[in-house]
Amino acid sequence: LRSLGISPAKIWRDAGLGIVSACLLAPALAVLVLVSGIPAGPSFIPAELGLLAPPSPAAAWLAVLFLPFLEELLFRGFLYRLLRARWPEIMANLSVSFLFAAIHGSTGPVAVARFLGSMLMCRLFDRTGTLWSSLGAHAGFNALLLLGPAAL
């Protein structure tokens, strides 16, 4: 796992950097989604966002920790590293972020928010060299999504 960016070194610092980054970017992404007229919050998270509403504790655990971990291994740990070794950073970032948004099946402002979030997660991964920062951002975004506008 170390070769995929999972190492115990600086885990709390890097995960904390990701969570703080998600919290700083989340208001702008929330405005983008809210301007689109899509309701948000725990009792009516739109099906387009792919989360169960209202979330059970198991669904919340899946959405905040388990699925982001798997997605970060796939998108940043494997695919981004593969493309980054062959292409300039911006091309690898744009390609992975486009795929990340597309694979979630989102459209409109939600797709743009996911695309921008993925660009941040790729940048965090590049900056720190570990998946902990992108995982922290991903988990932070998903947690804020579950909490809804009240979290912002």
Side-chain angles (χ1 to χ4, degrees):
L1 288 177
R2 185 177 295 268
S3 67
L4 293 175
I6 299 291
S7 101
K10 302 175 187 167
I11 181 175
W12 296 113
R13 185 200 72 177
D14 291 342
L17 175 65
I19 292 168
V20 168
S21 298
C23 291
L24 292 175
L25 186 60
L29 297 179
V31 167
L32 178 68
V33 172
L34 292 174
V35 165
S36 72
I38 297 173
S43 61
F44 41 155
I45 295 171
E48 180 184 1
L49 296 179
L51 297 175
L52 304 174
S56 67
W61 182 84
L62 281 171
V64 173
L65 294 175
F66 184 71
L67 293 175
F69 181 78
L70 292 179
E71 289 180 355
E72 289 308 308
L73 277 176
L74 173 65
F75 286 99
R76 258 62 65 188
F78 175 71
L79 186 58
Y80 180 72
R81 285 180 63 247
L82 179 73
L83 296 178
R84 184 68 178 95
R86 291 165 174 75
W87 296 350
E89 178 185 348
I90 190 67
M91 292 301 297
N93 193 329
L94 289 170
S95 299
V96 168
S97 297
F98 177 78
L99 183 60
F100 182 81
I103 203 111
H104 282 84
S106 301
T107 59
V110 174
V112 173
R114 284 202 166 125
F115 177 82
L116 294 174
S118 178
M119 289 195 68
L120 170 71
M121 290 182 273
C122 286
R123 186 65 195 121
L124 286 168
F125 177 71
D126 252 350
R127 187 177 191 289
T128 64
T130 74
L131 283 179
W132 296 119
S133 56
S134 60
L135 177 60
H138 198 148
F141 283 131
N142 285 9
L144 288 171
L145 178 63
L146 286 176
L147 295 172
L152 303 174

